[in-house]
Amino acid sequence: MTRSILPRPFLSLSLLVIWLLVNMSLSLGQVLLGTVLALALPPLTLRFWPDAPAIRSLPKLVRYTLVFLYDVLIANVQVAIWILGPVSRLRPRWVFVPLELEHPLSITLLAATVSLTPGTVSSHISADRRLLIVHCLHTLDDAETVQQIKERYERPLKEIFG
Amino acid sequence: MMVVEALVALLLLASGAAALVAALGLLRLPDFFMRLHGPTKATTLGLGGILAASTIVFSVQDPGLSLHEVLITLFLFITAPASAHILAKSAMHDRVPFQGGQEDPLLHPANLVPESAGEYHAAGLDLPPPGEPLPGEES
């Protein structure tokens, strides 16, 4: 029963929150309208989300978000130092991250995280979705960079989405 | 009020500095892929600071929190990596030269999984998306 009414509870919740944020109001009217939209849209768009992975652990997702924001801050300073320093000393590299994640959404999240933390941009994914090619602005040890991406981002994502 | 204004000014200065460094990166870095790191920087820290400042100003001015900025951050975090990814990918397929002396990453064995992919790639064409057979390959 709950499945047919609320096929995507997380999507419904996000829709409601985004609706309230757009309107910046918690009045009864907006809450009701947002609820109607949150209930009506997911069933109508269900075919667009064939198999969204379930979020297994919300605390881990929150932790992941905090780690991510912290890393963005630290990495920004790091990249600023590289850019202002002697540019010729940088050692740009392509590194190859073998993926353990299988679901396209979790791979997308990993790729987005890698791109948003400055110093690395995910550039390509192999045809079989097993390998992410990442461009590093500066790295002395390719293997260590790959290890860092896998441990810091891929493992938590695997725990969150399975 | 003084404290708030000082905080907002500090945030604006910090994000301005971050955006300036990102622009300097565009100017100083030697190849396309390295310059790509600049804009992703500006979107994260540079805009983050401006949006935080905006949240504070409007939350203090009007009663109630101003949270439109949260939405801007959310949408930026969704779109910025996608545009960076597409820029990098099209440059790779366009064979834009890069520093570092590595082999073309598109020639990595994992990109050439199906037998025919090598020839297909040598012809300078893009690989089809995963799941779709390569031309000339029947599954």
Side-chain angles (χ1 to χ4, degrees):
Chain A
M1 194 61 190
T2 48
R3 257 199 90 74
S4 55
I5 295 177
L6 263 179
R8 296 275 179 270
F10 195 73
L11 178 62
S12 293
L13 185 67
S14 323
L15 279 172
L16 178 60
V17 170
I18 288 177
W19 179 261
L20 293 176
L21 280 175
V22 168
N23 288 292
M24 285 260 282
S25 151
L26 272 176
S27 68
L28 185 63
Q30 294 295 356
V31 174
L32 271 177
L33 197 52
T35 310
V36 168
L37 286 173
L39 288 178
L41 285 177
L44 291 174
T45 55
L46 203 53
R47 291 172 65 188
F48 189 71
W49 320 91
D51 55 335
I55 294 171
R56 287 193 192 162
S57 160
L58 206 53
K60 277 186 180 148
L61 184 62
V62 173
R63 202 188 114 84
Y64 180 81
T65 314
L66 293 178
V67 166
F68 163 70
L69 290 176
Y70 174 78
D71 286 1
V72 166
L73 212 64
I74 296 299
N76 259 296
V77 176
Q78 180 65 63
V79 172
I81 293 170
W82 288 339
I83 288 179
L84 296 175
V87 168
S88 55
R89 280 227 218 110
L90 293 178
R91 184 172 175 270
R93 294 288 288 175
W94 295 102
V95 300
F96 303 90
V97 185
L99 292 173
E100 281 163 47
L101 298 170
E102 276 163 12
H103 196 281
L105 180 68
S106 24
I107 295 177
T108 309
L109 279 178
L110 178 69
T113 308
V114 166
S115 289
L116 279 174
T117 45
T120 47
V121 170
S122 44
S123 309
H124 185 75
I125 185 156
S126 67
D128 58 359
R129 292 201 187 121
R130 289 280 173 78
L131 192 80
L132 187 67
I133 301 181
V134 176
H135 188 264
C136 289
L137 185 55
H138 177 69
T139 175
L140 293 174
D141 185 345
D142 297 5
E144 197 196 306
T145 308
V146 170
Q147 200 54 34
Q148 217 175 352
I149 290 173
K150 285 186 78 74
E151 264 175 30
R152 210 161 166 80
Y153 306 123
E154 192 187 21
R155 199 159 44 86
L157 278 174
K158 209 174 159 61
E159 284 167 8
I160 293 167
F161 293 110
Chain B
M1 215 51 199
M2 267 298 279
V3 183
V4 172
E5 272 173 22
L7 184 64
V8 168
L10 202 69
L11 277 169
L12 286 178
L13 275 176
S15 46
L20 180 66
V21 172
L24 278 175
L26 278 180
L27 189 71
R28 295 192 69 200
L29 294 171
D31 79 28
F32 175 84
F33 295 100
M34 291 172 83
R35 284 194 290 272
L36 203 56
H37 292 276
T40 52
K41 239 175 84 61
T43 39
T44 47
L45 196 62
L47 269 160
I50 292 175
L51 292 173
S54 159
T55 308
I56 295 174
V57 167
F58 288 105
S59 296
V60 170
Q61 252 175 27
D62 308 322
L65 276 171
S66 168
L67 292 173
H68 275 148
E69 290 82 0
V70 177
L71 275 185
I72 301 179
T73 315
L74 181 71
F75 293 141
L76 266 176
F77 275 17
I78 294 173
T79 52
S83 55
H85 177 78
I86 288 173
L87 279 170
K89 202 173 160 70
S90 39
M92 280 169 98
H93 286 290
D94 226 17
R95 297 290 193 281
V96 171
F98 52 86
Q99 306 263 314
Q102 270 172 302
E103 198 194 350
D104 186 341
L106 285 180
L107 296 178
H108 189 281
N111 286 319
L112 310 174
V113 175
E115 294 284 310
S116 57
E119 302 159 26
Y120 186 57
H121 199 86
L125 296 162
D126 291 354
L127 288 168
E132 282 180 34
L134 293 157
E137 180 197 47
E138 296 307 323
S139 48

